[in-house]
Amino acid sequence: MTFINPTRRGFLQGGATLLGAGWLMNSTALAAVDPNSFSGRVFSASHYGPFEAVVRDGRIVEISPMIELDQRPTEMLMYGVLDRVYDKTRIDYPMVRKSYLDGWKTGDVKPELRGKEEYVRVDWDTALKLTAKAIVDTIEQHGNQAILSTSYGGWSHAGIMRPNVLQGKFFNMIGGCTNTVGDWSGGASQISLPHVIGDMEVYSAQTAWEVIRDNTEVFVLVGCDPVKNNRVEYTVADHGMYTPWEQIRDNGTRFISINPQRTASDKVLNADWVRIVPNTDVALFLGMAFHVLENGLEDKDYLAKYTVGSDRWIAYVKGEGDDKTPKTPEWAAALTGIDAAKIRDLAETLAKSRTEIAGAWSLQRAHHGEMTHWAIINFAALTGKIGKPGEGVGFSWHYGSGGMPQSGKATPAGLSQGKNFVTETIVPASRLTEALENPGAEVVYNGNLRKYPDVQMIYNAGNNFMSHQQDTNRLIKALAKVRTIVSQDVWWTAATRWADIVLPASSPLERDDISVGGTYSNDRIYAMKKIIEPVGESRSDFDIFAGLADLFYRQSQYIEDQAYPEYIDIIKKAYNGTSAAETTPFEVFWEKGYAFQPAPKEARSWVRHGDFYADPEKNHLHTRSGRIEMFCQTIAEMKLDDCPGMPMWLEPAEYLGNARDGQLHVVSPHPWFRLHSQMANSERLRALYQVQGREPVRINAEDAAARGIADGDIVELYNDRGTVIAGAVVSDEIMPGVVSIYEGGWPSLDSKGRCNSGLVNFLTSTQKSSGLSQATTANTCLVSMRKCEDPDGPNMAYEKPAIIEGVELAAISDDDLNLDRLDALVEALYADMSPGEKMFYERCTVCHGPRDVGAFTQLQWKAITPSMFPRAGLDEAEAALVMDFLMANASDAAK
C-alpha cells in the first residue's frame, strides 16, 4: 500500500523516482550578488527563516540567510541548521533495542531495559516488518485504541509533509489509533476562552501593528517576550515584527512588563519592569479591578452592552461572594509581592490610558491556568477596552509575528489524514503518564467524558515527547508497561533513546516540501527544496510511512494515482491551491523559491474584536450569550472544583506562598537558541549558552549568596520528583525566590539518577491545570537548590547510545508477520463520507486544528473555525460544507 499509487508495483516504481532527483528542477532561488561567486546554491526554508544552502560535492558547507526576505536572521539559522545535519547525534540507520530484537517472537522484550541497554543495527526490511507486526498484534489483541500516537504538534518540520500528519494518514487507513488532544502551548486557554470570548485567542491574529503604533499609549507585557519567542515560527519565520516593535516604542508607547524576570523584550522596548511572584497574575488583576471599582473607573456602559455576568464577578471582587474577602490592593500585594501602592498606580494607568494587554501563553501553563487569561479579559472589559483601536487584549503577540497585517489568502494544504475511527479514548497531551498508569480510567476533557486507553504500543514520529512531558522519572516508570515503542526521528533525542524500534528519518533539508511565511500574515509561499541526499540510510517520513503502508497492501481512499502520480505533484497541488498561484505559476515559484500574496491595504487598520465593538448584535461573539462572558454559565454548569465559572483566585498546588523554607519557584520559558528541544544538538549554539556543559539556570544574586553559589558554578535543583544538574547564571534581573531554566534540554542520567544535562522536566509536576482542559502546569513548580559537589562525569546527552553493529540477522518471513489479519478488522470500518466530512479530514486536521469533532460543542467550533478555516485555505462554499459537518457531529448536536 502507498499514499500515492494504488498497487504495490506502482509504489515501488514511484519510490524509485522519489529516491532519485531526476524530476527536481535544477535551479536556485537567488544567485549570489557577485556574479563570479560559487553557483552551487539551493533555496529552502525552515522554522528559522528562508535561506540558501551552499553545496559542494553533495555536502552543505554554508547556510546563507536571505536578507531580501528576512532582515533579522538568527544564529539558529546560520549555525544550527547546518550543525545538526551532520551532527554525531544523527541516526544513520535503523535500530532495534537488543532485548526487543531477541524477544520479538516470544514476547520477552524486557521493556524495563529501555534507556539502559544498547541498540542493534538492522536493515530497513527488518525494522519495518517488526514495526508492522507490532501494529497488527496490538490491533488484533487489544484494538486500535491500544496504539497511542505521541506525534503531537508538528513542530519538527515547517512544511506540509509534517511527520504527525503523515502518521495520522497511515494509521487512519487501518482504523486509527488513540491520539493526544490539546497541546502544551495554549492547552488551558484553547479550551476555556472559546466559552469566554468566542475564540481560542492563543492562536489568533493580533491588531495590526500600525494601529497599535498610532493609538496605544500603554502596552502591557504580562509574561510576554515577543523579541525572544518570535525568533522561531511554526511555519517559516520571517521576523517581520521586529522593526514594527521598534517603531511602536519610538512613537512614544510606554511599555510595562509584569514578569518574575527581566526579558529581552523589556530591554529592547525600554519596559518598566514590575516583578511578580509566579502564578499570582490573577490576584494582581483582581486587586487592580478592586481599585478601579472603588474609584469609579469602570465603564458601566461598556459592561452593559458587551458583557454578561459582570455583576457576579464584581461582587466577588468586592468581597460580596462566598469567600467574603475583598480583593483589595493590600490583599493582592500579599500574594504577588507587588506593593499595594504600585498596584493602585498600575490600575489607574491602565484604566485611564489607551491600553493593550498582551498575555503570554506561559501564564496558563499553571495550576488553574484557565483563570489567568480570563482575569485579564475581565479587567480589560471592566475598563471598556476590548475592540477599540489600540486597546484590548491579545494572547499571541509573542508568536508568529503577531501584529503583522493578514493577507487572508489561502495557504498550502497538506495531505488528508483521513478519519480516525478511535473516538472513545483520548490522552490529553500533558496527561500521558497518568494515562499509562490508569488504563480504562475515566477522564473529563472540555466537559466530555472519555476513557484512557490501555496503551500497548506507542508510535512517535518527529516528536521528542520524552523531553516535554512533565515528571520524567515517573514517565520512565510508566513506560515499562508498554510493549512496543517506535520512534521515527532524525536524531538520538530522548524519545529515540527510550524506544524499541528506531526508524531514521531524513532531515528537512533532505526532502522537498512547501510552506508559508507568517502564521498570521500568510503573505508569502516558500519552496522548501531538497538540498542534499538523505544522510546515511535515512528516509523521508513520507517514504517510511509509504513503506509501512506497502506491507499492508492498502491504498488511501482520498489520494488517487491520477491526481498525484509523483511526489512533486503533491507539492504542485498544494501550491496551486494558494492565492499566490493566481499570479505566479508553479514553475516560476519553484525556480525562484518564493511567491508573494500581499495583505490588502485594509488589513493594516484591522482591530482585534473591532467588528464586535462596532456592532455586537450583528457581529456577536461565538459564546452562549454572544458577548464577553465575565461569568460563564457553561463552565459553571460543569461543576468543576478547580475551574469555576469566573476568574477567581485559587491557590496553586506549589508556589512561593506555600513553599517550605529555602524552596524556590522554577519557571521554564522557551529557549533563546532553540525551538523547544530542536537545535540542542548544535555544538556551536551550545557554546553560546551552556555552563560547564549543562543548561544555564538564572538565579538572583541574593539567593545565590545565601547558598554559597557563584556565577558559573555547577548546581543541583531538586525536589521529590527528581534532580537536575545545571550551571548557575547569577543575576539581579530575576526576583529573589525565583529561578529560571529554559525548557527543551536533552536528558542524560548519571549514576545517581540525576539529569546531568539540565532537563527541567525531571522537576516539573504532572498536576493538571483543571478538569476543564487537563492542560500542563509546568510553570507551577517548587525546588530546592544547592551547589553540586559531586558532578558525575561529562554530560552525555549529545552522544550516541551504545550500538552493536555487524550482527547477522535472519530474514523475517511474511508467515511470521501474518499481516493479512488486519484486513477483516479494517474492512468494516469504512463507509462513504459526506463532502464536508471528507474536507474536514483533508484540510482542517493538519496543524493546530482539533481532530476530534465530538470533543467540542457547536459554539466552540464556531469560535475555533474563524482562525482554522483560513489556515486550511477553505473558500466560502467549502467552509459552509465543513461547518455543516461540524454542527451535525459536535458534542452537543442532536443525535
Side-chain angles (χ1 to χ4, degrees):
M1 163 190 153
T2 169
F3 300 131
I4 302 301
N5 299 289
T7 66
R8 189 169 191 264
R9 174 55 53 190
F11 165 73
L12 294 173
Q13 292 171 342
T17 304
L18 285 178
L19 294 175
W23 58 267
L24 185 62
M25 300 178 187
N26 295 315
S27 61
T28 61
L30 289 175
V33 175
D34 177 5
N36 293 332
S37 66
F38 179 68
S39 62
R41 293 170 174 261
V42 182
F43 182 94
S44 198
S46 70
H47 290 306
Y48 316 97
F51 62 93
E52 281 185 331
V54 180
V55 182
R56 293 180 184 270
D57 300 322
R59 186 178 177 89
I60 305 172
V61 296
E62 192 63 69
I63 296 294
S64 178
M66 303 301 298
I67 303 301
E68 301 89 340
L69 303 171
D70 178 4
Q71 297 180 22
R72 304 285 179 99
T74 72
E75 303 91 341
M76 286 178 282
L77 176 67
M78 293 182 285
Y79 298 165
V81 167
L82 176 56
D83 283 0
R84 63 182 189 162
V85 170
Y86 300 112
D87 189 72
K88 56 191 171 184
T89 56
R90 279 295 296 253
I91 305 170
D92 300 307
Y93 27 74
M95 305 275 187
V96 181
R97 186 173 57 82
K98 183 178 182 301
S99 292
Y100 192 93
L101 185 62
D102 293 341
W104 69 270
K105 278 190 177 182
T106 65
D108 184 20
V109 295
K110 297 180 173 55
E112 69 277 6
L113 295 180
R114 290 193 193 106
K116 300 176 182 177
E117 71 173 338
E118 59 267 42
Y119 287 87
V120 179
R121 177 179 179 175
V122 301
D123 55 78
W124 270 105
D125 185 70
T126 298
L128 291 177
K129 284 182 174 179
L130 288 179
T131 301
K133 184 179 187 301
I135 291 170
V136 177
D137 286 349
T138 304
I139 294 174
E140 182 184 50
Q141 297 168 21
H142 305 280
N144 286 69
Q145 71 279 359
I147 301 174
L148 173 65
S149 167
T150 54
S151 306
Y152 141 90
W155 275 96
S156 65
H157 184 52
I160 63 172
M161 296 298 186
R162 286 181 165 89
N164 63 316
V165 174
L166 298 174
Q167 180 187 330
K169 180 172 189 60
F170 167 73
F171 275 104
N172 290 347
M173 290 178 184
I174 56 176
C177 63
T178 299
N179 283 318
T180 57
V181 293
D183 60 36
W184 268 264
S185 297
S189 287
Q190 67 184 222
I191 299 301
S192 61
L193 293 189
H195 295 297
V196 172
I197 197 169
D199 194 290
M200 285 192 290
E201 296 294 328
V202 286
Y203 302 133
S204 301
Q206 306 301 284
T207 295
W209 71 268
E210 289 175 273
V211 176
I212 297 294
R213 180 196 63 191
D214 296 340
N215 294 277
T216 303
E217 295 174 324
V218 176
F219 197 109
V220 185
L221 301 163
V222 189
C224 188
D225 190 1
V227 169
K228 170 170 65 67
N229 290 337
N230 273 310
R231 285 161 59 87
V232 296
E233 171 67 89
Y234 183 72
T235 54
V236 178
D238 56 20
H239 307 112
M241 269 297 292
Y242 281 89
T243 297
W245 279 120
E246 292 160 358
Q247 287 195 31
I248 294 168
R249 174 200 65 198
D250 294 344
N251 203 46
T253 297
R254 176 189 175 191
F255 285 89
I256 299 173
S257 175
I258 300 169
N259 202 309
Q261 59 183 326
R262 194 162 183 240
T263 69
S265 298
D266 298 349
K267 296 178 181 180
V268 170
L269 300 175
N270 298 328
D272 299 327
W273 178 33
V274 179
R275 306 190 309 187
I276 186 170
V277 170
N279 290 191
T280 65
D281 304 271
V282 172
L284 171 63
F285 281 90
L286 290 172
M288 289 196 296
F290 184 94
H291 183 78
V292 165
L293 292 164
E294 189 177 44
N295 289 273
L297 299 176
E298 75 273 25
D299 190 329
K300 295 179 180 178
D301 291 339
Y302 187 98
L303 293 173
K305 187 174 182 179
Y306 298 100
T307 76
V308 296
S310 62
D311 54 338
R312 295 189 64 168
W313 187 68
I314 288 172
Y316 167 73
V317 172
K318 289 182 174 180
E320 298 166 2
D322 292 340
D323 67 352
K324 305 300 180 185
T325 302
K327 310 306 179 294
T328 64
E330 285 75 15
W331 169 87
L335 296 167
T336 63
I338 303 172
D339 186 78
K342 181 64 175 178
I343 293 174
R344 291 188 176 90
D345 177 66
L346 281 172
E348 295 208 16
T349 298
L350 273 55
K352 295 178 179 179
S353 305
R354 294 193 299 273
T355 302
E356 174 78 9
I357 306 176
W361 296 349
S362 60
L363 301 176
Q364 46 88 69
R365 298 188 197 115
H367 195 197
H368 313 300
E370 295 84 357
M371 299 291 100
T372 310
H373 286 168
W374 196 352
I376 293 172
I377 289 170
N378 275 19
F379 180 83
L382 180 71
T383 52
K385 306 295 185 186
I386 298 174
K388 296 178 180 178
E391 303 187 64
V393 296
F395 301 111
S396 199
W397 281 105
H398 59 290
Y399 166 70
S401 287
M404 289 295 288
Q406 306 162 71
S407 74
K409 306 293 177 58
T411 61
L415 289 172
S416 161
Q417 291 191 53
K419 180 176 182 178
N420 185 4
F421 290 90
V422 176
T423 58
E424 298 304 314
T425 57
I426 62 169
V427 177
S430 68
R431 311 300 292 152
L432 173 58
T433 302
E434 180 181 274
L436 295 176
E437 294 173 340
N438 299 280
E442 293 183 337
V443 57
V444 177
Y445 177 73
N446 192 26
N448 299 301
L449 183 65
R450 301 292 178 87
K451 290 185 177 181
Y452 288 137
D454 183 5
V455 178
Q456 299 295 317
M457 180 178 185
I458 289 175
Y459 201 109
N460 182 74
N463 183 282
N464 189 6
F465 76 95
M466 289 292 295
S467 276
H468 68 223
Q469 287 282 341
Q470 279 69 60
D471 198 347
T472 310
N473 280 318
R474 184 178 163 197
L475 172 63
I476 291 170
K477 293 177 183 177
L479 287 172
K481 73 167 290 292
V482 180
R483 186 183 187 280
T484 304
I485 300 177
V486 178
S487 195
Q488 177 176 315
D489 210 327
V490 188
W491 298 282
W492 282 106
T493 68
T496 51
R497 291 171 189 267
W498 267 272
D500 302 305
I501 301 171
V502 178
L503 305 178
S506 59
S507 81
L509 278 60
E510 296 153 36
R511 80 276 296 266
D512 287 286
D513 212 328
I514 187 172
S515 190
V516 62
T519 293
Y520 304 124
S521 61
N522 291 332
D523 60 357
R524 61 194 73 182
I525 310 299
Y526 285 116
M528 299 177 64
K529 293 187 183 183
K530 178 180 179 181
I531 298 169
I532 55 172
E533 292 300 313
V535 170
E537 295 181 9
S538 64
R539 297 181 180 179
S540 72
D541 294 290
F542 182 94
D543 284 341
I544 293 172
F545 284 117
L548 278 173
D550 189 47
L551 288 174
F552 292 110
Y553 306 102
R554 293 192 172 276
Q555 62 173 317
S556 166
Q557 58 183 309
Y558 305 121
I559 303 299
E560 301 171 355
D561 185 40
Q562 294 84 353
Y564 306 110
E566 300 295 349
Y567 179 94
I568 190 65
D569 294 309
I570 303 172
I571 297 175
K572 287 181 180 178
K573 177 74 180 301
Y575 176 77
N576 289 333
T578 70
S579 301
E582 298 171 5
T583 55
T584 307
F586 177 80
E587 291 72 20
V588 175
F589 156 72
W590 196 258
E591 169 77 18
K592 190 175 185 181
Y594 59 92
F596 293 109
Q597 43 185 39
K601 181 179 179 181
E602 57 268 23
R604 296 167 60 185
S605 58
W606 186 80
V607 176
R608 176 137 204 87
H609 306 298
D611 290 343
F612 167 68
Y613 177 70
D615 190 337
E617 298 301 324
K618 180 181 177 181
N619 304 303
H620 61 83
L621 302 177
H622 295 299
T623 59
R624 181 190 284 191
S625 64
R627 292 187 279 175
I628 300 166
E629 304 214 350
M630 298 175 71
F631 176 90
C632 179
Q633 190 65 35
T634 301
I635 293 177
E637 288 171 357
M638 296 182 190
K639 300 186 186 313
L640 300 168
D641 292 338
D642 51 7
C643 188
M646 59 184 174
M648 302 171 65
W649 166 252
L650 302 174
E651 184 176 5
E654 300 179 28
Y655 86 120
L656 292 178
N658 54 30
R660 297 192 302 270
D661 185 45
Q663 282 190 309
L664 304 166
H665 193 122
V666 60
V667 294
S668 46
H670 187 277
W672 181 266
F673 290 110
R674 295 194 299 265
L675 197 173
H676 301 311
S677 68
Q678 293 182 60
M679 297 293 178
N681 55 341
S682 165
E683 290 191 26
R684 282 189 289 178
L685 289 179
R686 291 202 306 275
L688 297 175
Y689 64 86
Q690 281 194 332
V691 177
Q692 295 195 42
R694 281 90 171 178
E695 287 293 307
V697 57
R698 197 181 197 191
I699 181 173
N700 180 271
E702 294 178 19
D703 291 329
R707 291 161 178 80
I709 295 170
D711 190 73
D713 280 348
I714 296 297
V715 298
E716 290 181 78
L717 292 83
Y718 60 96
N719 57 24
D720 293 340
R721 293 179 286 269
T723 302
V724 305
I725 298 177
V729 177
V730 178
S731 172
D732 289 323
E733 295 188 337
I734 187 167
M735 68 182 295
V738 181
V739 293
S740 176
I741 184 168
Y742 287 136
E743 52 90 7
W746 289 18
S748 175
L749 295 178
D750 69 9
S751 63
K752 301 176 181 64
R754 304 172 297 187
C755 180
N756 199 25
S757 183
L759 172 59
V760 71
N761 279 332
F762 279 91
L763 304 169
T764 54
S765 167
T766 56
Q767 167 73 51
K768 64 187 176 185
S769 176
S770 81
L772 176 67
S773 68
Q774 303 286 338
T776 183
T777 61
N779 282 321
T780 298
C781 182
L782 292 174
V783 299
S784 297
M785 188 170 176
R786 63 192 171 213
K787 185 174 180 179
C788 182
E789 304 291 353
D790 59 343
D792 185 8
N795 176 13
M796 300 299 288
Y798 308 104
E799 304 290 334
K800 287 183 186 292
I803 296 169
I804 301 173
E805 300 198 48
V807 176
E808 292 189 17
L809 303 172
I812 298 175
S813 72
D814 290 346
D815 291 339
D816 288 329
L817 301 178
N818 192 15
L819 300 183
D820 291 342
R821 292 172 288 160
L822 192 64
D823 292 347
L825 298 172
V826 174
E827 187 174 353
L829 292 175
Y830 288 95
D832 292 336
M833 292 183 178
S834 69
E837 182 177 12
K838 179 179 176 182
M839 197 168 297
F840 172 77
Y841 289 112
E842 286 180 346
R843 305 277 289 280
C844 301
T845 58
V846 297
C847 58
H848 282 108
R851 293 168 285 181
D852 185 355
V853 180
F856 293 82
T857 65
Q858 291 179 330
L859 272 175
Q860 280 182 302
W861 277 116
K862 290 177 180 178
I864 291 168
T865 50
S867 59
M868 184 176 79
F869 284 169
R871 287 200 299 270
L874 301 183
D875 62 28
E876 187 173 342
E878 291 170 332
L881 285 172
V882 174
M883 184 61 79
D884 288 344
F885 165 67
L886 296 175
M887 293 302 98
N889 292 276
S891 60
D892 58 345
K895 305 299 183 186

